[in-house]
Amino acid sequence: MKPPNHPMDRPRGRARVRGLAAVLAAVAAVAVGVAMPAQAASTLKASAEARGRYFGTALTRGDLGITAEVNLAAAQFDMLTPGNEMKWDATEPSRGSFNFGPGDQIVSFAQSHGMRVRGHNLVWHSQLPAWVGGVALNQVQGVMENHITTEATHYKGKVYAWDVVNEPYNEDGTLRQDVFYKAMGSNYIAIALRAAHAADPDAKLYINDYNIEGINAKSNGLYSLAQSLVAQGVPLHGIGFESHFIVGQVPSSLQANMQRFADLGLDVAITELDDRIQMPADSSELQQQGTDYGKVVNACLAVSRCVGVSQWGVDDGHSWIPGTFPGYGAAMMWDSSYQPKPAYTAALNALNSGTSSPSASPSPSSSPSSSPSSSPSPSPSSTPIGGACSATMKTTNSWPGGFQSEVTVQAGSASVGGWTVKWTWPGGQSISSLWNGTQSVSGSSVTVRNASYNGSLAAGASTTFGFTANGTAATPTLTCTSP
Ligand code: XIL
């Protein structure tokens, strides 16, 4: 069952009413944009590239016919997601009969404008043709694998990344009981990832969902799954945070949440950003929207494995929001006359200020936060070197009432076959989520043992585990023993 507030349950439709004046204003606005001197910092894509990221958008085939919109998209964005054209209902409308024409049009537009493509998507309970629901459960796996293999093979070498599984989670952190789950249980996700990897070994493979941007039950469910997929060596490479926000409601734990997934060795990306406002939008709401867009961009810049940000659309006149969330609109960085809004300026300013580390470090190690809103503790605590192992804790992020830390465990002069790190919290702190280790807690005493996959360390080698916690950031004295 879908949750009652799922966006896909709402009526679809788009506000397309535009007067001649708006069209003329739009053309003029784009002409001005094109005439601007080519500075590295004058477009989202140039500024994002200077920070080792991309800035993307989503377009449908219908959008491709709207000159002002595509000109703006081509000028500002270097990554493109097809709005609908690669979904199952578009690509395999009846069993075994594939149609890649509309998706190909999106790909060729991207290629002719120097944009990469995020493939979206291979497996999703929504926009799924009715015939899939009628397949005998013992044939669903074969049907799913054939769909993935055929589509990912068709687009092999043309997509940077695939949203292999889209929106698999319920709000409470359990998996949706869709046809794929009913046929294969939670294994369908690993099966889908493996099929996609076999078809296109170079594509980055993502799980993508909404309402997983903050640390909450839903993102915790996905976190546990991601952790276990990584531990089993399933080809999962990234997590997509859709980020369909309401103005003023960007979760404060966005950065910490992306960081914990990054610490598993995964890329992270903001995949479908919009920030809707109850209409009519007033100027303070548009300013707040700017603050929101700045926060999202800064969160991505602060996480070294955050590869980029994509807005779900270009301008307010062609966004999916008004048709899906009645009464809401104005969610994009440009208004319906293609004029930039405070959100555009804020996103560009965020990209152009600061000196965060480039994205996509190949190793699963985390980078300290560089967000101005966080106050990481510079002084790590450590056990003396010389024993079987040593452990060092550092705070990588903090916010009112919580913090995130990373512990590096290093083997001494001999290899270890397992490790145990212990400490005592000084002031009532409590761990809310821990990764790359298993914890047991007794009052203020914490014991963390290695996970199944990171216990063996060669002499001098190290590994990390991390956690988010409630309370004031602290770096207590650690002991490390082996095993
Ligand atoms: C939306 C499209 O923008 C609409 O045109 C369509 O009617 C419904 O789907 N999460 C996703 C996207 O992963 O595929 C959805 O796109 C928006 C929510």
Side-chain angles (χ1 to χ4, degrees), residues 6-8 10-14 58 60 63 81-85 87 89 120-121 124 126-127 163 166-167 208-210 242 244 271-272 274 312-313 318-321 324-325:
H6 187 271
M8 295 300 96
R10 315 262 184 152
R12 290 172 196 160
R14 310 168 85 196
T60 62
D63 293 319
T81 307
N84 289 311
E85 291 68 12
K87 294 173 182 175
D89 59 356
H120 176 79
N121 54 62
W124 188 23
S126 184
Q127 293 180 269
D163 290 328
N166 201 42
E167 303 185 346
N208 187 55
D209 214 327
Y210 66 97
E242 290 187 12
H244 295 293
T271 52
E272 305 183 11
D274 45 34
W312 198 247
H318 301 94
S319 155
W320 75 305
I321 290 293
T324 305
F325 301 93

Side-chain angles (χ1 to χ4, degrees), residues 6 40 82 123 154 179 231 331:
H6 187 271
V123 179
H154 179 82
V179 63

Side-chain angles (χ1 to χ4, degrees), residues 51-53 160 204 206 237 259 261-268 300-308 356-368 406:
R51 306 296 295 274
R53 269 73 174 182
Y160 159 73
K204 300 276 188 198
Y206 277 67
H237 308 123
Q259 185 67 59
F261 284 94
D263 288 345
L264 295 176
L266 299 171
D267 286 349
V268 294
C300 180
L301 292 172
V303 176
S304 64
R305 295 200 67 134
C306 180
V307 293
S356 74
S357 57
S359 79
S361 73
S363 80
S365 67
S366 67
S367 75
E406 184 181 275

Side-chain angles (χ1 to χ4, degrees), residues 44-45 47-49 51-58 76-81 115-116 118 160 206 239-245 254 258 268-275 292-303 305-313 332-334 343 346-348 350-351 359:
L44 295 175
K45 66 178 177 184
S47 301
E49 284 165 17
R51 306 296 295 274
R53 269 73 174 182
Y54 62 79
F55 218 115
T57 186
Q76 292 287 341
F77 298 108
D78 57 4
M79 183 69 77
L80 185 58
T81 307
M115 304 162 105
R116 290 183 291 166
R118 292 196 83 259
Y160 159 73
Y206 277 67
I239 302 293
F241 300 82
E242 290 187 12
S243 305
H244 295 293
F245 293 131
L254 173 64
M258 288 199 292
V268 294
I270 303 287
T271 52
E272 305 183 11
L273 178 60
D274 45 34
D275 197 29
D292 292 355
Y293 267 79
K295 271 188 198 167
V296 173
V297 170
N298 277 325
C300 180
L301 292 172
V303 176
R305 295 200 67 134
C306 180
V307 293
V309 176
S310 296
Q311 180 177 257
W312 198 247
M332 301 279 98
M333 287 182 282
W334 288 271
L348 193 61
L351 292 167
S359 79

Side-chain angles (χ1 to χ4, degrees), residues 360-400:
S361 73
S363 80
S365 67
S366 67
S367 75
S369 153
S370 64
S371 159
S373 62
S374 67
S375 45
S377 150
S379 53
S381 68
S382 156
T383 49
I385 309 283
C389 57
S390 63
T392 308
M393 182 185 290
K394 70 175 185 214
T395 309
T396 53
N397 194 8
S398 65
W399 54 91

